[in-house]
Amino acid sequence: MGKVLSGLYLCYAAIIFIALMLIALPFVLLATTLLAPAAGKRAGMFFLRCWAWGFSLTTFFWVETVNKHLINRKVPHIYVGNHGSYLDAIAVCISIPQYFSPLGKIEMAKVPIFGWIYKRIVVMIDRSSKESRERSVTSLKQDISNGQSILIFPEGTMNKSNAPLSEFYDGAFKIAIETQTPLMPFVMINNRALLPRTHPLKAHPGLLTTIFITPVDVKGLQIEDLHMLKQKVYTLMEEAILKYS
């Protein structure tokens, strides 16, 4: 009986997801077509946040944000968080208080409807292509130079293991050092339990909790400090997950 109810709930959530995407789509397309690139992206992100709030309220995946006061909204940040569920997109859209450019896998652009919005908002990367990786880094650096925050999931893909975190890629930390932009690590608690990647029929409503940890200053760091910086952020995030889970 539990699996039947979870299946029905999953179908309901999928219908809401698609319906709200269809409503948001024309606004995102108009904003990103008619406005200048930076303004269009910000407007598109606004409509994406409206979509996220609508989905959260109608599917009972409520979002709680902790320690938002730690963020200085006057300066751009590189947001780095854990990644373990499709619900992460909802949580970051609602929880991150600044406009941001997210880095995402190019494969997601193939998803019907969602993909049309995705490729207008997200800096896409094909990790198998050196040229794609270089283009994405250049684009993210340009956003930072324009005063825009960025979002990178340093695990690169969803964590399917039982460990709190997967191994981190260097990208976010290298960009932080090269642009001297502070890192803002955060963790999302309970997302994997509410909508497991490997067992979607276990989906159920509940509270998604996003916890901002503490800004990590990179002022004066050199590329030789990359491993130390990456390990520092990894430890902060791992400890937060273990503390709040």
Side-chain angles (χ1 to χ4, degrees), residues 8 11 29 44 81 87-88 92 116 129 136 148 156 160 162 182 185 215 229:
L8 290 173
C11 289
L29 294 179
L87 292 175
D88 296 346
V92 296
W116 300 337
S129 166
S136 64
Q148 179 90 15
K160 303 182 186 71
N162 293 323
L229 177 63

Side-chain angles (χ1 to χ4, degrees), residues 212-226:
F212 292 104
I213 303 172
T214 184
V216 177
D217 189 13
V218 299
K219 187 176 181 180
L221 294 186
Q222 304 294 323
I223 201 66
E224 294 79 13
D225 301 310
L226 190 152

Side-chain angles (χ1 to χ4, degrees), residues 75-78 141 144-145 172-183 216-223 225 229:
V75 299
H77 293 80
I78 298 177
K141 286 182 176 179
I144 291 172
S145 69
F173 311 98
K174 186 176 180 181
I175 293 173
I177 291 173
E178 291 177 343
T179 62
Q180 292 291 282
T181 304
L183 290 152
V216 177
D217 189 13
V218 299
K219 187 176 181 180
L221 294 186
Q222 304 294 323
I223 201 66
D225 301 310
L229 177 63

Side-chain angles (χ1 to χ4, degrees), residues 6 9-10 61 82-88 158-159 161 188-209 245:
S6 291
Y9 175 73
L10 196 60
F61 285 125
N82 59 321
H83 190 24
S85 170
Y86 288 115
L87 292 175
D88 296 346
M158 288 191 198
N159 179 10
S161 72
M188 293 174 284
I189 306 298
N190 210 31
N191 296 15
R192 293 173 72 181
L194 296 180
L195 182 56
R197 169 76 184 272
T198 51
H199 301 287
L201 286 180
K202 292 184 178 180
H204 59 279
L207 184 65
L208 316 174
T209 302
S245 294

Side-chain angles (χ1 to χ4, degrees), residues 71-124:
I71 301 168
N72 180 1
R73 303 188 192 189
K74 296 180 181 179
V75 299
H77 293 80
I78 298 177
Y79 289 90
V80 286
N82 59 321
H83 190 24
S85 170
Y86 288 115
L87 292 175
D88 296 346
I90 305 298
V92 296
C93 283
I94 292 174
S95 295
I96 295 178
Q98 295 178 292
Y99 286 100
F100 60 92
S101 291
L103 178 69
K105 296 186 296 183
I106 196 170
E107 293 85 356
M108 295 300 293
K110 298 176 182 178
V111 178
I113 305 173
F114 175 76
W116 300 337
I117 294 178
Y118 183 86
K119 58 189 176 184
R120 299 270 180 150
I121 303 294
V122 174
V123 175
M124 292 184 290

Side-chain angles (χ1 to χ4, degrees), residues 33-95:
T33 301
L34 299 178
L35 300 176
K41 208 169 187 180
R42 288 170 69 92
M45 181 58 69
F46 168 78
F47 292 119
L48 201 59
R49 281 179 170 163
C50 292
W51 160 78
W53 272 111
F55 183 82
S56 171
L57 294 172
T58 54
T59 57
F60 310 105
F61 285 125
W62 290 301
V63 178
E64 175 190 35
T65 307
V66 180
N67 293 337
K68 193 182 290 188
H69 68 278
L70 295 175
I71 301 168
N72 180 1
R73 303 188 192 189
K74 296 180 181 179
V75 299
H77 293 80
I78 298 177
Y79 289 90
V80 286
N82 59 321
H83 190 24
S85 170
Y86 288 115
L87 292 175
D88 296 346
I90 305 298
V92 296
C93 283
I94 292 174
S95 295

